[in-house]
Amino acid sequence: MRTIKKARLIDLSHTWDKNSPIASVNPTYSFSLQDTHANTLNKFKDGGQLTYASEVMHFSGQHGAPTLDAIGHIGRNGKLFGGLDAFASTSDPDGIGTSGVGANLAVDQFPTDLLVNRGILLDVARFVNGDSSPLDSHAEVTADLLERTAKHQRVTLRKGDTVFIRTGYGPLFKSNPSVYADPNASPGPSVGGAKFLIDHGARVVGDDTLTFEMRPPVVTSPTFQVFPVHMMLIPTPGSTSSRT
């Protein structure tokens, strides 16, 4: 605790508005005033003394500003992490696990020991470009690239680490949201890069792009898969990672 109290805190979040980029598979974010000082005038027949404002938000926290995936967020072949029934886990629309299956995989049950953890930042963009500019939109963050970046930074990944990857795409959230949210081109870890993280025992992984893995998030060999990196990191037996 003494170490934490002395630490420098860095806020990685973005400020949301109606123009913020969100992956097309998720609901959009919206905000509006439900009550205004004009339409609440004399609502309580008090001679116009009290007025107030209140708002309504429709919010998708998935694939936008920094988010933390619930371990039950991704299924593979009908199974969640630990072999639980993916379909049963969300049969109750009130949320993951409210049906009685998979409650331990909901985001409010995320392991607390992983929320405060040793972290490693692999600045792949600076290693490749030599400056703060972002990686090319089609750049593949491979196992070799991660290994060479770590060696260049003189850091050693330990089992249980949180590993963040910097692609340089973060500022595009505000400056160029259409590029940030482009479903057809975005840098990120490939399947090989994800295997590198698993092999090194990373328990939480993340980067500064919309959907973590490179886009389009599709592989065709040995079989056709959509979001293969997500499926490797979250529900696959033997994986202990969660994406952020």
Side-chain angles (χ1 to χ4, degrees), residues 126-145:
R126 188 172 294 275
F127 173 71
V128 171
N129 298 328
D131 55 31
S132 61
S133 60
L135 292 173
D136 181 81
S137 61
H138 293 282
E140 179 181 352
V141 179
T142 62
D144 178 66
L145 186 52

Side-chain angles (χ1 to χ4, degrees), residues 57-199:
M57 286 189 288
H58 297 280
F59 179 73
S60 170
Q62 298 173 16
H63 305 302
T67 58
L68 182 70
D69 280 354
I71 298 176
H73 171 50
I74 295 291
R76 186 173 202 166
N77 295 324
K79 299 295 183 181
L80 301 181
F81 180 80
L84 296 180
D85 187 318
F87 308 112
S89 74
T90 52
S91 60
D92 186 326
D94 282 342
I96 294 173
T98 54
S99 65
V101 176
N104 61 310
L105 304 182
V107 74
D108 62 323
Q109 298 299 313
F110 192 84
T112 54
D113 63 309
L114 300 184
L115 296 177
V116 180
N117 192 32
R118 179 179 185 263
I120 294 294
L121 172 64
L122 297 179
D123 194 344
V124 175
R126 188 172 294 275
F127 173 71
V128 171
N129 298 328
D131 55 31
S132 61
S133 60
L135 292 173
D136 181 81
S137 61
H138 293 282
E140 179 181 352
V141 179
T142 62
D144 178 66
L145 186 52
L146 291 172
E147 185 172 21
R148 288 190 292 128
T149 301
K151 184 177 180 180
H152 176 75
Q153 295 180 189
R154 299 178 181 176
V155 298
T156 301
L157 275 62
R158 302 175 189 168
K159 184 177 181 180
D161 279 348
T162 292
V163 181
F164 289 127
I165 300 166
R166 180 181 172 273
T167 70
Y169 252 50
L172 298 177
F173 182 91
K174 279 293 184 184
S175 66
N176 201 334
S178 62
V179 170
Y180 186 85
D182 187 348
N184 299 309
S186 177
S190 62
V191 167
K195 188 175 185 303
F196 172 89
L197 296 168
I198 293 171
D199 289 346

Side-chain angles (χ1 to χ4, degrees), residues 21-41:
I22 296 177
S24 59
V25 296
N26 297 125
T28 58
Y29 167 84
S30 65
F31 170 96
S32 63
L33 285 173
Q34 175 174 287
D35 298 301
T36 68
H37 289 285
N39 69 25
T40 58
L41 181 64

Side-chain angles (χ1 to χ4, degrees), residues 36 46 61 68 84 137 181 212 221 224 242:
T36 68
D46 62 348
L68 182 70
L84 296 180
S137 61
F212 183 69
S221 179
F224 178 81
S242 180

